[in-house]
Amino acid sequence: MSPASTAVTIRRPDDWHAHLRDGAVMAAVLPHTAAQFARAIVMPNLKPPVTTVALASAYRDRILAALPAGSDFRPLMTAYLTDSIDKAEIERGFADHVWVAAKLYPAGATTNSQHGVTDIRHIYPVLEVMQRIGMPLLVHGEVTDHTVDIFDREQVFIERILLPLLKDFPALKVVLEHITTAEAAEVVREGGPRLGATITPHHLMINRSSLFEGGIRPHLYCLPIAKRERHRLALRKAATSGAACYFLGTDTAPHLAHTKEAACGCAGIFNAPTAMQAYAQVFHEEAALDRLEAFASLNGPRFYGLPLNEGKIRLALAAAEAPQDVEIEGDRVVVFAPECGAAWTLSAA
Ligand code: DOR
Ligand code: ZN
C-alpha cells in the first residue's frame, strides 16, 4: 500500500473502551458501535455502578437483547472498583468469563465516579488478586485533587499514582485509558508488554483550543480534557506508530444534548457513528493507513489475550451521507466529527 492510498481493508476492529449506557440511550446508540466493531469493552459507570457478577451478567444480557437482528457484536464486560469491593467477587467474575477487566475510577474524577476509589491503597488486596489471575486493570488516569490544574491532572496522576502502582505490582496488566498527553504516551511505550493505552479519535483530532473555537463547544468537552497541540501531535505519532502498546478505544460517551448544552455540562463525546472513519482520516493524514490494522484490530486482542476477529472491513475516501445526530426520547445525542463520516465510507469487505 502506498502512503497516498485512499482506501484500506483491515481485519474487523474492536473498541477497547466504550460507554453503552442503559435503557433508551443504550437502545439508540448500541447499533452504531455494533456496526463498527466486533467487540467492545463496556464501561461499568452506570447508576448504580456494575460492582457485582450478577449486575454485570444482567447488563450483558440487556446489551445482547438490544442488538439489531443478525448482529454478532460481543460486549466484553468490566467491573467497577470501589473501596470496599470484594476481591473474591472480582476473581469469580473473571473465572466465570463474565468480565474481562476491572476499571479504576478515582472517586470524583468523572461521570458516575462517585462510588470510585478514594485511595488506591484501599484496593491493593484486589490488585494482588488481579495480578495473580492475569486480569487487566483499566485506569482513568486523572488525580481528583482540585488544586491541580485540570490540564495537568493526567500527568500528576502518572507521577503520584501510576508509577508507584506499576512498581508495587510488577506483573499487573494495566491499560491507561484515553491518554491525552505526550508524557502518557512515553510512559506507556516504556512500560513494556504489561502496560497499554487506548487512544480516542477525538484526542487525535482536537486540542484544547478547539473547545473555545468561536465560542464554548460543549460537545467537545470530555475527560480527560483535550490538551495542547503538542500533545495531540504526540498522540497521533503514538497511534500511527504501529507499536503494540497503543490500541483503539473510542471512549464514546453519549449524553443527551440538554445535559451538555447547560450551565454545568456533562463530560463525554459521542463518536460511535464516525469512529472508524475518523481514525482512517487521521491515519491517512499521517500517511500511515498501513498501520491502522495494528492499532484497530491486532494490538488490543493481543494485549487482552483474546483471538483476533475473523472478517474484514473496508474504509475508503469516498463521499457518503454525513451521519445524523441520534434522536432519543425528544432529545438528541450529538455526533462527533460528522464530516469524517461524510468523507470516508465504512463497509464490510
Ligand atoms: O468524558 C468522559 N465521559 N470521560 C469519562 O471518563 C466518562 C465519560 C462518561 O461516562 O460520560
Ligand atoms: Zn470512558
Side-chain angles (χ1 to χ4, degrees):
M1 189 189 313
S2 86
S5 289
T6 54
V8 64
T9 299
I10 61 170
R11 197 180 274 271
R12 257 179 104 194
D14 301 301
D15 184 351
W16 299 98
H17 186 128
H19 298 268
L20 298 181
R21 312 298 194 212
D22 215 344
V25 176
M26 176 175 72
V29 302
L30 176 64
H32 294 282
T33 291
Q36 297 239 343
F37 299 106
R39 297 170 288 198
I41 287 275
V42 181
M43 287 296 138
N45 60 334
L46 301 184
K47 281 184 196 168
V50 181
T51 49
T52 66
V53 180
L55 285 169
S57 181
Y59 183 30
R60 182 173 62 183
D61 290 347
R62 292 196 298 281
I63 295 168
L64 292 172
L67 280 172
S71 173
D72 63 354
F73 173 80
R74 283 198 19 231
L76 303 172
M77 310 311 289
T78 57
Y80 181 114
L81 296 173
T82 65
D83 281 346
S84 57
I85 195 137
D86 179 8
K87 61 185 188 207
E89 183 81 358
I90 292 292
E91 183 164 11
R92 188 164 69 85
F94 188 69
D96 291 350
H97 305 286
V98 175
W99 47 45
V100 302
K103 178 77 188 276
L104 166 63
Y105 286 107
T110 187
T111 309
N112 295 341
S113 64
Q114 60 274 27
H115 303 284
V117 174
T118 59
D119 181 338
I120 189 79
R121 297 242 155 220
H122 292 152
I123 58 162
Y124 264 36
V126 180
L127 299 181
E128 293 282 357
V129 169
M130 290 172 61
Q131 176 170 253
R132 173 167 55 74
I133 64 180
M135 179 176 177
L137 174 72
L138 314 183
V139 176
H140 183 106
E142 288 191 287
V143 288
T144 54
D145 175 351
H146 280 231
T147 64
V148 176
D149 189 281
I150 188 170
F151 295 99
D152 297 333
R153 286 181 194 162
E154 181 175 279
Q155 204 178 338
V156 173
F157 180 91
I158 290 170
E159 289 155 19
R160 285 192 196 164
I161 314 282
L162 184 68
L163 294 177
L165 177 78
L166 294 173
K167 239 190 219 143
D168 289 346
F169 296 93
L172 181 66
K173 287 168 90 168
V174 176
V175 182
L176 190 54
E177 299 290 342
H178 40 54
I179 59 170
T180 60
T181 57
E183 289 74 17
E186 195 183 324
V187 161
V188 169
R189 191 189 268 275
E190 286 168 358
R194 62 72 170 251
L195 180 62
T198 51
I199 306 180
T200 74
H202 41 281
H203 290 113
L204 296 171
M205 297 185 113
I206 62 170
N207 63 26
R208 67 187 201 172
S209 294
S210 313
L211 272 83
F212 307 103
E213 200 69 60
I216 195 155
R217 303 275 179 172
H219 296 289
L220 299 183
Y221 173 55
C222 67
L223 291 171
I225 199 162
K227 307 298 192 294
R228 287 180 182 276
E229 178 65 357
R230 80 170 177 92
H231 296 292
R232 186 183 76 95
L233 296 177
L235 295 173
R236 284 169 80 103
K237 216 166 162 197
T240 59
S241 68
C245 57
Y246 305 120
F247 36 89
L248 186 159
T250 64
D251 198 17
T252 182
H255 291 274
L256 294 178
H258 82 272
T259 67
K260 287 187 69 65
E261 298 165 3
C264 185
C266 296
I269 291 180
F270 174 59
N271 57 30
T274 49
M276 283 312 302
Q277 297 94 320
Y279 284 119
Q281 177 163 320
V282 168
F283 277 67
H284 180 246
E285 287 165 359
E286 298 291 325
L289 272 181
D290 57 337
R291 292 197 280 273
L292 180 60
E293 184 173 54
F295 178 75
S297 317
L298 308 179
N299 297 346
R302 285 180 182 147
F303 180 89
Y304 277 86
L306 293 168
L308 302 182
N309 295 316
E310 297 302 326
K312 306 242 175 223
I313 62 155
R314 181 180 148 85
L315 286 147
L317 186 52
E321 291 274 300
Q324 302 287 309
D325 292 345
V326 174
E327 306 287 332
I328 302 172
E329 291 180 338
D331 200 344
R332 70 197 205 288
V333 179
V334 174
V335 177
F336 174 71
E339 67 281 2
C340 296
W344 287 81
T345 58
L346 168 66
S347 55

